[in-house]
Amino acid sequence: MKVGEAVKKEVFIEPPFITLGQLLKEEAIVGSGGQAKWYLKEHAVDVNGEPDDRRGRKLYPGDTVDVKEVGLFFIRLNQAE
């Protein structure tokens, strides 16, 4: 991957949802929920093409999250038994 190139990644979740703050933490974009709140106020994040800065925003399978200059994340249902 080139420097500055954004990632595209599928994120598999357990039903029914994951929050935006949890996604940022699990993808190592931030280290804690407090950092997620700050991060979302300072950086552009789109959920399904719309700007969103709520760390409690529920993300469901089929949603897309575009974290500017970091990557595009596709929320998928974990099918593992």
Side-chain angles (χ1 to χ4, degrees):
M1 180 182 303
K2 296 178 184 174
V3 174
E5 184 177 328
V7 298
K8 292 182 181 175
K9 181 177 181 185
E10 290 185 314
V11 178
F12 293 93
I13 66 169
E14 296 296 324
F17 64 85
I18 185 174
T19 67
L20 182 54
Q22 288 171 323
L23 173 73
L24 295 175
K25 188 174 174 184
E26 286 187 17
E27 294 302 316
I29 297 167
V30 299
S32 70
Q35 288 177 341
K37 183 176 182 179
W38 169 83
Y39 186 90
L40 290 167
K41 295 295 181 197
E42 299 291 324
H43 296 86
V45 176
D46 291 346
V47 177
N48 298 326
E50 298 290 328
D52 204 323
D53 63 359
R54 300 172 292 159
R55 68 178 170 169
R57 166 71 187 261
K58 293 177 182 176
L59 305 172
Y60 296 94
D63 287 345
T64 59
V65 179
D66 185 3
V67 182
K68 304 301 183 200
E69 299 182 14
V70 175
L72 185 60
F73 301 90
F74 305 95
I75 309 302
R76 302 288 185 252
L77 183 61
N78 188 354
Q79 299 288 332
E81 295 290 317

